[in-house]
Amino acid sequence: MKKVLVLEDESSIRSFIVINLRRAGYEVIEAETGEEALEKLEHHRDTRVALLDVMLPGIDGFEVCRRIRAGNANIGIIMLTARAQEMDKVTGLMTGADDYVTKPFSPAELTARVDALMRRSGGGSEANDGEIRQDPFLLNTRNRTLEKNGQRVKLTQVEYAIIKMFMENPGKALSREEILDMVWGRDYFGELKIVDVNIRRLRLKIEDNPTNPTYITTVWGYGYKWGF
Ligand code: CA
């Protein structure tokens, strides 16, 4: 069963989300506070996607995200934000979320986002098992891991998908739309901005000097290129 955690303090919104996810075939774990969410995740370690409301009575959704991410790189995390200002904070803090949804959202939109993350965190069918080596990087597509100079780089599932896409397309300029399609899927409803947020975070992890990136280079007005 595919498990999703829903953290939302407002019970009407929570039920709305839970009902729709169950209808879509997910097993749903509910939490009303951040503390409860962290505790429940301890007991349900096979949870593959977490939906985290930002504004909560105790620790906020960003803090929950940070704590989840500290111990688990594989879980997909979607932030539920009430306002655009909160998204600025998501961008600014880059707490490790893979995606965000702004309230109010439709059931179809939410389910599509969860489906997309679920597909990536599934681990399932990799077409070409093995390794892609582009010094100083080594991508292992069986274990879904990345090493730089022999050192493991901890990646989220989305970051892994982005790196894999780049390493399979070295030297090719990829538009932000293409990246969104390849990484998030064609049925994805999100905004292009999420591409930039994830690439910025990825640069912090893999570039020698993130302010002057040499591996993931920007193609102005278009997108990005794996600069080999
Ligand atoms: Ca709330």
Side-chain angles (χ1 to χ4, degrees), residues 22-33:
R22 287 199 176 129
R23 199 170 284 157
Y26 291 112
E27 179 181 343
V28 184
I29 296 144
E30 296 180 53
E32 214 177 319
T33 65

Side-chain angles (χ1 to χ4, degrees), residues 8-10 53-56 103:
E8 166 66 68
D9 60 316
E10 282 167 67
D53 183 29
V54 172
M55 298 297 285
L56 296 162
K103 296 175 187 174

Side-chain angles (χ1 to χ4, degrees), residues 56-91:
L56 296 162
I59 55 172
D60 71 10
F62 295 122
E63 178 59 19
V64 176
C65 176
R66 204 186 56 73
R67 291 193 199 176
I68 293 174
R69 199 49 99 203
N72 184 343
N74 292 325
I75 191 168
I77 299 179
I78 301 174
M79 305 303 297
L80 306 176
T81 67
R83 297 180 303 273
Q85 297 95 290
E86 286 183 1
M87 186 45 217
D88 293 342
K89 216 174 148 197
V90 175
T91 315

Side-chain angles (χ1 to χ4, degrees), residues 5 10 14 20 32 61 65 68 82 87 97 99 105 109 122 149 151 155 158 160-161 170 186 204 207 222 226-227:
L5 174 109
E10 282 167 67
R14 193 173 65 246
N20 282 290
E32 214 177 319
C65 176
I68 293 174
M87 186 45 217
D99 199 0
F105 41 80
E109 181 182 7
N149 294 319
Q151 300 278 79
L155 298 178
V158 167
Y160 170 82
R186 281 186 191 281
L204 292 174
E207 294 285 349
Y222 186 70
W226 188 239

Side-chain angles (χ1 to χ4, degrees), residues 15-228:
S15 330
F16 166 80
I17 297 172
V18 169
I19 288 166
N20 282 290
L21 288 178
R22 287 199 176 129
R23 199 170 284 157
Y26 291 112
E27 179 181 343
V28 184
I29 296 144
E30 296 180 53
E32 214 177 319
T33 65
E35 290 82 353
E36 189 188 350
L38 292 168
E39 198 184 306
K40 288 200 167 165
L41 279 177
E42 280 296 305
H43 295 285
H44 298 272
R45 289 179 167 274
D46 54 342
T47 302
R48 278 160 55 185
V49 172
L51 301 177
L52 309 177
D53 183 29
V54 172
M55 298 297 285
L56 296 162
I59 55 172
D60 71 10
F62 295 122
E63 178 59 19
V64 176
C65 176
R66 204 186 56 73
R67 291 193 199 176
I68 293 174
R69 199 49 99 203
N72 184 343
N74 292 325
I75 191 168
I77 299 179
I78 301 174
M79 305 303 297
L80 306 176
T81 67
R83 297 180 303 273
Q85 297 95 290
E86 286 183 1
M87 186 45 217
D88 293 342
K89 216 174 148 197
V90 175
T91 315
L93 293 178
M94 291 195 266
T95 41
D98 297 298
D99 199 0
Y100 67 94
V101 180
T102 308
K103 296 175 187 174
F105 41 80
S106 71
E109 181 182 7
L110 186 72
T111 310
R113 303 284 187 97
V114 174
D115 288 347
L117 268 187
M118 197 58 86
R119 271 197 301 277
R120 266 195 319 273
S121 69
S125 55
E126 286 289 346
N128 53 335
D129 271 11
E131 292 180 346
I132 305 177
R133 182 184 293 277
Q134 281 156 19
D135 282 333
F137 297 102
L138 173 65
L139 189 79
N140 184 318
T141 57
R142 206 177 352 251
N143 305 334
R144 301 169 71 88
T145 56
L146 178 74
E147 288 178 7
K148 181 184 178 188
N149 294 319
Q151 300 278 79
R152 174 78 68 88
V153 181
K154 267 184 94 176
L155 298 178
T156 66
Q157 289 297 326
V158 167
E159 291 162 356
Y160 170 82
I162 293 172
I163 275 285
K164 181 163 180 280
M165 172 202 68
F166 276 134
M167 290 181 78
E168 286 171 342
N169 295 281
K172 186 183 173 201
L174 299 166
S175 72
R176 295 156 84 225
E177 289 84 357
E178 279 179 281
I179 296 171
L180 194 72
D181 276 356
M182 281 194 263
V183 175
W184 281 264
R186 281 186 191 281
D187 51 354
Y188 183 74
F189 288 73
E191 298 160 39
L192 285 172
K193 192 175 176 186
I194 200 73
V195 173
D196 304 316
V197 170
N198 274 279
I199 284 185
R200 210 178 316 159
R201 196 167 63 214
L202 196 48
R203 279 173 167 164
L204 292 174
K205 295 186 178 183
I206 66 162
E207 294 285 349
D208 302 327
N209 176 6
T211 56
N212 183 22
T214 54
Y215 301 120
I216 302 175
T217 52
T218 301
V219 182
W220 292 108
Y222 186 70
Y224 299 94
K225 189 176 80 164
W226 188 239
F228 281 79

